[in-house]
Amino acid sequence: MAASIVFDDSLWPLLVSRFEGQVSDEAYEEYLLQGALYLRRGEPYVSVLDTARLALPTVRQRQRQFEWLRQHEQPMRELLLGCAFIITSPLIRLTMSTVFHLMPMPTPYVAVQDMARAVTWATGRLRDAGHAEAAAGILERFHR
């Protein structure tokens, strides 16, 4: 399995990020940079992070995640309506819990087992924030 982080914004305002394998610190930095670019759009959105095939992040990657969350806390609070994490590994779940205990997510989030639950939760967040049409469009295209 090749290590990668792939962004899919084809159903915007739903952003799906898929992680596979043990990504390099350089690839992780690119991920953080791209995440900041989505925030700079200035548009409300929801995010699904699919970590089902992710290897445990390195110490450096976890540290950079703390720093990134601190740097982007305000725009996340304003624009990221919610984040659904697809987590199937107990070790990844523990790591995420530790990170968010030390640096709480500035936006609502949930950990689920699969994409269908993640998208259902994320579109619910969109609806609750007054974006019912966008949520319906995502669900329609997602279930095709």
Side-chain angles (χ1 to χ4, degrees):
M1 155 176 66
S4 66
I5 303 172
V6 176
F7 288 94
D8 179 357
D9 62 6
S10 63
L11 295 176
W12 188 263
L14 170 67
L15 173 62
V16 177
S17 306
R18 290 183 178 88
F19 298 79
E20 290 203 20
Q22 180 64 62
V23 297
S24 68
D25 288 347
E26 294 79 19
Y28 199 79
E29 286 297 326
E30 286 296 319
Y31 157 72
L32 295 175
L33 176 63
Q34 186 62 46
L37 292 175
Y38 281 110
L39 286 170
R40 286 191 196 123
R41 285 184 174 192
E43 301 171 6
Y45 69 102
V46 290
S47 180
V48 171
L49 288 93
D50 185 351
T51 68
R53 295 186 185 106
L54 174 68
L56 187 64
T58 67
V59 171
R60 175 72 184 137
Q61 291 166 5
R62 292 191 301 268
Q63 178 61 36
R64 284 293 294 129
Q65 187 68 54
F66 285 130
E67 293 167 5
W68 192 92
L69 285 170
R70 269 193 285 272
Q71 291 169 348
H72 297 89
E73 181 178 3
Q74 191 58 39
M76 286 179 71
R77 189 178 312 285
E78 294 170 5
L79 299 169
L80 184 55
L81 302 174
C83 191
F85 295 88
I86 300 171
I87 302 174
T88 56
S89 161
L91 190 53
I92 297 292
R93 186 179 296 272
L94 176 62
T95 300
M96 184 187 91
S97 295
T98 301
V99 167
F100 294 155
H101 176 74
L102 297 171
M103 181 65 194
M105 277 287 283
T107 187
Y109 70 93
V110 66
V112 296
Q113 293 285 319
D114 57 52
M115 184 63 74
R117 288 183 185 130
V119 170
T120 297
W121 185 87
T123 54
R125 294 291 306 154
L126 280 172
R127 265 193 313 279
D128 292 348
H131 303 281
E133 189 174 321
I138 290 167
L139 288 172
E140 179 183 322
R141 288 180 282 164
F142 183 78
H143 292 297
R144 282 187 190 165

